[in-house]
Amino acid sequence: MFVGILALAVVAFYSGAALYVNLVELPALEALDDRAQLAGWKVSLKRGVLLQAPLCVIGFLLGFAAWAQTHFFSDATGAIAMLATVPWTFAMIAPTNKALRGMRPEAAGPHSRALIKRWGSLHSVRTALGLLALLGFLQALLPV
């Protein structure tokens, strides 16, 4: 049960960070001019990767360990949801990341703004997967 509590805590941090990006950070970036928006996104991405990537991996590993102990479907759901963020990030988000990281500040404009908007939409799937994992781990800890 302790592993399940740790999985829940880690995934709560992950989900909270992901939700913050979608509800606070991206809308704040939208209020900036094109150059500032691109520069802000680049700084945010570097910091976000350092926070969210380890939480994602640790959340999956703890969720898998919790499932190995309990064999609860909800622990498996949480672990799989966290694992699913990895291929989603590499297959769907990474190309947009690469395009934005490669843009010089003077090239910022409608195209960079559209890419950041697309990035936000793609990131919302990661947020949803994190929230699904959170609900799974929470359900596994609730008394039957």
Side-chain angles (χ1 to χ4, degrees), residues 4-128:
I5 293 169
L6 286 176
L8 178 68
V10 168
V11 171
F13 284 123
Y14 173 88
S15 299
L19 197 57
Y20 176 86
V21 168
N22 286 112
L23 296 180
V24 178
E25 189 148 354
L26 286 170
L29 287 173
E30 286 177 12
L32 301 174
D33 66 71
D34 296 336
R35 287 180 115 178
Q37 182 190 44
L38 180 59
W41 179 88
K42 286 181 178 187
V43 171
S44 177
L45 180 71
K46 284 181 188 177
R47 292 175 177 264
V49 167
L50 293 175
L51 175 70
Q52 287 189 311
L55 290 174
C56 178
V57 172
I58 294 167
F60 162 70
L61 292 173
L62 289 169
F64 181 79
W67 171 80
Q69 289 178 350
T70 66
H71 298 289
F72 291 162
F73 178 77
S74 53
D75 278 330
T77 300
I80 291 168
M82 289 308 296
L83 181 61
T85 65
V86 175
W88 177 259
T89 299
F90 283 110
M92 301 303 293
I93 298 176
T96 304
N97 285 353
K98 183 178 179 181
L100 285 165
R101 278 194 314 257
M103 261 185 209
R104 295 190 334 260
E106 56 273 7
H111 182 61
S112 62
R113 190 166 287 279
L115 283 173
I116 290 171
K117 187 170 183 68
R118 174 170 167 69
W119 184 91
S121 296
L122 295 168
H123 185 270
S124 65
V125 173
R126 290 173 30 144
T127 302

